[in-house]
Amino acid sequence: MAVFACARCGAELTAPVSRVALPVHAHQRHGHELLPALMEPGTYAVDSEPFGPPWRSWSEAGTDEAAARGVFAPVPALSFGPSGAVVVTPGDVRGTVLILERCDGYCLGLDGRDGPNLACARCGRAVATRIDDCTFWQAVWLAPDAVQILTADRPAGPANWETLTQEYEATPPVEPCGAWDPRWEAAAGAALAHLLAVSRGAPVDVPDGLLADTFRRVLDLLLPPGRAPRKSAALAGPGLPTPDPVPDIALVPRHPRTGEVWQPPPGIAHSVPLAADVWLQLARHEVQLPVPMTGGLPDGVLRDDPLPLRPHSLFRPDPHIFLHTLARLPAVREPWLRDIHERVSENPYRRPF
């Protein structure tokens, strides 16, 4: 467990927290309603990328400087701020007060547009940014240059894949209102960027079912149909049998604690990381047929009480997370993939997004 404190006076700013991997939806903006907390209580994550001012435009920074910072395609702005921001859930924050003149937001809360809006209650130093406005996942981001670890966390050991399916919850794809869960849209957006990169521009086939609902339409629309040979993608991971036939590409889980990506067995050329909560749902996905008190139901008949959740629209990956991920893959410098990046950048809400 770790405790974060003010770098100036040493006052404790958080409850004891344990490190986990940064969620793929950490910087997602979704809809116009209040979203829940980004982090689970008692956890923290570290963003390895720089964030915040000063900002420089793509043309001002230049392609060489951008590539040195791990960005290989044009982005709206490059941050030259510090890296290593620590994110915790708002309920784990201690000893802070709001900086009232920095409490601006869009409509329902704080969006952090004015910089750090939480100060250390003991010495007054600006130490963190609380974000709880609509469209944002609620979180507190500790400024890396304003905090220190008071009680060091133990180094994370290797990922325990054997307990993944027992210790972590899956995220259902559809919300009760019929909308696709935004965490699915974020995870699919990031995975899609990796899928395109390893496809080398060839069409990709995915098996029927929830995996096809998530990826088939977008892959068919973005990848040119004439290229050959076609490639196949399938789900793989701990507890699952090796796909038969063996696919060219395996969608595998990224461990939610360590961020480690599961390694597929020999014979699978490429792996694509997928958020563990989404992977778990895909791995467990099957239609549950009920057994009535007497008799039985014919094969293929679905229960009607309660009705299974069905989406009211076609699935759309998050375009901004897709672009964010794709811009940080060196493969985006290839002309065919750069063309996809440019087309989506120009109109991020055109089909299939």
Side-chain angles (χ1 to χ4, degrees):
M1 304 290 280
V3 173
F4 291 89
C6 175
R8 175 186 289 173
C9 70
E12 294 186 6
L13 300 176
T14 71
V17 286
S18 295
R19 185 168 180 173
V20 296
L22 184 71
V24 69
H25 56 285
H27 296 294
Q28 183 186 33
R29 301 183 65 172
H30 178 82
H32 290 287
E33 66 275 358
L34 290 175
L35 296 175
L38 172 68
M39 304 298 296
E40 292 292 329
T43 66
Y44 76 97
V46 179
D47 191 347
S48 60
E49 291 195 20
F51 185 77
W55 299 90
R56 294 170 64 182
S57 67
W58 173 266
S59 59
E60 180 186 2
T63 56
D64 291 340
E65 178 63 31
R69 305 181 76 79
V71 182
F72 305 99
V75 294
L78 279 170
S79 169
F80 282 76
S83 59
V86 174
V87 61
V88 297
T89 193
D92 281 337
V93 175
R94 306 286 187 268
T96 63
V97 293
L98 286 169
I99 304 173
L100 297 182
E101 59 270 22
R102 296 183 182 178
C103 288
D104 206 351
Y106 180 67
C107 63
L108 296 177
L110 313 176
D111 63 7
R113 68 178 65 187
D114 298 316
N117 54 27
L118 290 177
C120 172
R122 178 186 294 176
C123 70
R125 179 174 183 174
V127 292
T129 304
R130 174 163 181 152
I131 295 177
D132 55 19
D133 204 352
C134 65
T135 80
F136 296 95
W137 294 89
Q138 297 185 38
V140 171
W141 293 85
L142 305 176
D145 55 353
V147 300
Q148 61 180 329
I149 295 182
L150 193 63
T151 304
D153 199 4
R154 291 183 300 175
N160 188 344
W161 295 110
E162 295 180 357
T163 62
L164 179 69
T165 57
Q166 288 80 38
E167 293 183 357
Y168 296 95
E169 293 292 331
T171 295
V174 182
E175 297 181 321
C177 65
W180 289 94
D181 191 289
R183 290 166 292 185
W184 270 71
E185 296 176 350
L192 175 63
H194 289 276
L195 262 174
L196 292 177
V198 300
S199 75
R200 302 294 179 89
V204 176
D205 297 320
V206 294
D208 293 336
L210 187 54
L211 197 64
D213 294 340
T214 307
F215 289 106
R216 180 180 291 168
R217 173 173 168 268
V218 64
L219 288 171
D220 289 347
L221 286 171
L222 291 180
L223 290 171
R227 293 201 180 191
R230 299 182 70 90
K231 295 185 176 181
S232 60
L235 205 67
L240 294 182
T242 301
D244 185 21
V246 176
D248 303 295
I249 305 166
L251 287 100
V252 300
R254 183 188 297 275
H255 200 279
R257 181 175 60 86
T258 66
E260 182 181 342
V261 178
W262 188 81
Q263 296 302 307
I268 298 178
H270 303 285
S271 61
V272 167
L274 190 61
D277 59 330
V278 172
W279 182 90
L280 283 168
Q281 182 67 25
L282 287 165
R284 298 171 181 174
H285 181 65
E286 59 182 20
V287 176
Q288 298 291 337
L289 296 180
V291 178
M293 294 180 65
T294 59
L297 291 176
D299 291 341
V301 174
L302 297 176
R303 66 182 184 185
D304 58 3
D305 184 23
L307 289 172
L309 291 174
R310 293 289 186 263
H312 56 51
S313 62
L314 295 173
F315 183 78
R316 298 173 181 267
D318 189 297
H320 301 292
I321 290 183
F322 167 72
L323 290 170
H324 178 93
T325 306
L326 188 59
R328 286 153 178 80
L329 299 179
V332 77
R333 293 178 289 195
E334 298 180 22
W336 70 271
L337 193 51
R338 182 66 167 266
D339 177 67
I340 291 176
H341 181 276
E342 290 176 355
R343 283 189 282 128
V344 178
S345 296
E346 291 171 0
N347 194 338
Y349 299 107
R350 180 182 299 169
R351 287 193 318 156
F353 298 99

